[in-house]
């Protein structure tokens, strides 16, 4: 598949995640970040496991657990904790520094020297997002800020490690997403019951919100996200992240009656321009991923390996659905 199409499909993930703030505040029970993270992760993971019917083997049990903890198990509760304790604007601004985190981690773990243009684009993206959302920041909650920062760091580390480790031969992004969502959901489950107690009573509005989060916002979106990580660089993928707060601002304007000022529109233009700049290729060291054993480095399989695994996966899923 051509790279622009891959970028566009991967971008659907952060666009979907941009609706999380509105769904959380408008549809879900208050002050239940762990339960909300559990309801978002575990049903989606079990669904993808049922479709893929592929379990990890060997060292991939440990790798799936680590990636599931970083991308899901830690990220989801911290994300919802920040969403509950901070205005959506401030949580989004803290999250928008993700590209800078990934640039640094890519240099450390992938051997990719950051280009000056990439660093500047990351700063511009964060500045643009701040113009869009900071007007609603209000009083800052220290725990909320810390949770937002930790969630961004966790997701950034998970993105870079996902790129470093790649996927086992013959395993597609659907299975990889299922492993991580299930592992993360199982990590969240005991914490949710220990910290928050029994599940809250859910009305039809809450059930609809959780159903949306589990299916479109998580199962489909994370499949597209991990598919994109396999085909693009970690930096290119994470530069799609600012689309999430931009989408949140548009949803607030279209669905919640929130006005957009000229300054906000200028910030959206800056952040979107930085996102596009982050997709441009730069010269430098090729990304190296690691084989199934994690011991022998090899060249990134790129589109060819990803397409082969994906063709196998599509054929298997189509056969099971029949």
């Amino acid at each position: 598949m051509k790279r622009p199409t891959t970028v566009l499909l991967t971008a659907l993930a952060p666009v979907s995640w941009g609706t999380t703030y509105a769904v959380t505040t408008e549809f879900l029970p208050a002050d239940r970040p762990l339960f909300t993270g559990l309801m978002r992760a575990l049903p989606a993971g079990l669904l993808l496991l049922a479709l893929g019917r592929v379990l990890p083997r060997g060292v991939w049990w440990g790798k799936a657990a680590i990636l599931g903890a970083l991308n899901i198990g830690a990220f989801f509760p911290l994300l919802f904790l920040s969403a509950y304790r901070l205005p959506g604007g401030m949580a989004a601004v803290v999250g928008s520094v993700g590209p800078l985190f990934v640039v640094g981690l890519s240099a450390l773990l992938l051997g990719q020297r950051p280009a000056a243009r990439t660093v500047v684009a990351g700063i511009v993206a964060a500045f643009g997002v701040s113009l869009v959302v900071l007007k609603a920041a209000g009083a800052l909650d220290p725990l909320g800020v810390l949770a937002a920062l930790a969630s961004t760091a966790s997701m950034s580390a998970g993105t870079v490690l996902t790129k470093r480790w790649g996927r086992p031969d013959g395993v597609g992004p659907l299975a990889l997403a299922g492993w991580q969502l299930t592992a993360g959901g199982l990590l969240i489950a005991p914490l949710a019951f220990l910290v928050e107690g029994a599940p809250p009573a859910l009305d039809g509005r809450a059930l609809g919100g959780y159903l949306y989060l589990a299916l479109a916002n998580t199962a489909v979106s994370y499949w597209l996200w991990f598919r994109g990580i396999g085909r693009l660089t970690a930096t290119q993928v994470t530069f799609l992240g600012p689309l999430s707060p931009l989408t949140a601002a548009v949803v607030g304007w279209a669905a919640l009656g929130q006005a957009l000022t000229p300054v906000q529109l200028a910030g959206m233009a800056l952040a979107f321009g930085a996102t596009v700049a982050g997709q441009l290729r730069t010269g430098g060291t090729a990304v190296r991923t690691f084989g199934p054993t994690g011991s022998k480095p090899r060249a990134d399989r790129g589109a060819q390996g990803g397409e082969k695994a994906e063709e196998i996966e599509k054929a298997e899923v189509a056969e099971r659905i029949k």
Side-chain angles (χ1 to χ4, degrees):
M1 183 177 292
K2 294 182 179 180
R3 183 170 165 273
T5 303
T6 299
V7 171
L8 290 175
L9 288 175
T10 308
L12 292 177
V15 167
S16 173
W17 298 335
T19 65
T20 303
Y21 297 110
V23 173
T24 299
T25 57
E26 298 296 319
F27 291 89
L28 305 185
D31 300 323
R32 289 296 188 119
L34 290 172
F35 180 75
T36 297
L38 172 63
M39 291 295 289
R40 184 182 175 190
L42 193 55
L46 294 175
L47 173 63
L48 295 186
L49 281 183
L51 289 175
R53 298 184 186 179
V54 178
L55 293 177
R57 295 180 181 177
V59 297
W60 269 97
W61 284 102
K63 289 183 177 181
I66 292 172
L67 294 176
L70 290 172
N71 286 323
I72 310 298
F75 174 67
F76 277 10
L78 291 168
L79 173 69
F80 284 110
L81 179 61
S82 67
Y84 280 121
R85 298 186 70 95
L86 290 177
M90 177 53 66
V93 168
V94 177
S96 69
V97 303
L100 297 177
F101 279 24
V102 169
V103 167
L105 289 171
S106 294
L108 182 64
L109 298 177
L110 302 179
Q112 292 180 329
R113 291 182 299 177
R117 189 197 70 197
T118 302
V119 175
V120 171
I123 295 172
V124 170
F127 178 67
V129 169
S130 71
L131 293 181
V132 176
V133 297
L134 268 186
K135 75 179 185 67
L140 297 184
D141 179 279
L143 180 58
V145 173
L146 183 61
L149 190 62
S151 69
T152 301
S154 180
M155 183 68 165
S156 299
T159 298
V160 174
L161 280 180
T162 300
K163 186 64 182 179
R164 176 182 173 90
W165 288 338
R167 300 194 301 264
D169 290 332
V171 173
L174 184 145
L176 185 65
W179 297 350
Q180 296 186 47
L181 286 166
T182 302
L186 292 175
L187 179 64
I188 297 171
L191 293 175
F193 290 109
L194 286 174
V195 175
E196 298 178 352
L202 302 178
D203 57 16
R205 189 177 180 84
L207 287 173
Y210 283 127
L211 185 63
Y212 167 77
L213 288 182
L215 295 180
N217 189 265
T218 303
V220 175
S221 295
Y222 271 89
W223 167 58
L224 292 172
W225 186 252
F226 291 128
R227 176 183 176 278
I229 291 176
R231 294 168 175 264
L232 305 169
T233 69
T235 302
Q236 288 170 333
V237 171
T238 197
F239 261 100
L240 296 173
L243 293 176
S244 180
L246 296 185
T247 301
V250 172
V251 170
W253 167 75
L256 304 180
Q258 299 173 355
L260 289 174
T261 67
V263 172
Q264 288 179 294
L265 293 175
M268 293 177 73
L270 281 175
F272 186 76
T275 297
V276 173
Q279 304 310 310
L280 301 178
R281 292 182 183 272
T282 58
T285 306
V287 179
R288 301 172 75 190
T289 57
F290 288 73
T293 64
S295 59
K296 295 181 179 180
R298 66 185 181 188
D300 190 351
R301 285 177 294 180
Q304 183 176 359
E307 288 175 357
K308 180 179 179 181
E310 197 165 321
E311 288 173 1
I312 295 173
E313 178 180 290
K314 286 181 179 179
E316 291 177 349
V317 172
E319 183 64 27
R320 289 164 190 151
I321 293 177
K322 288 181 181 179

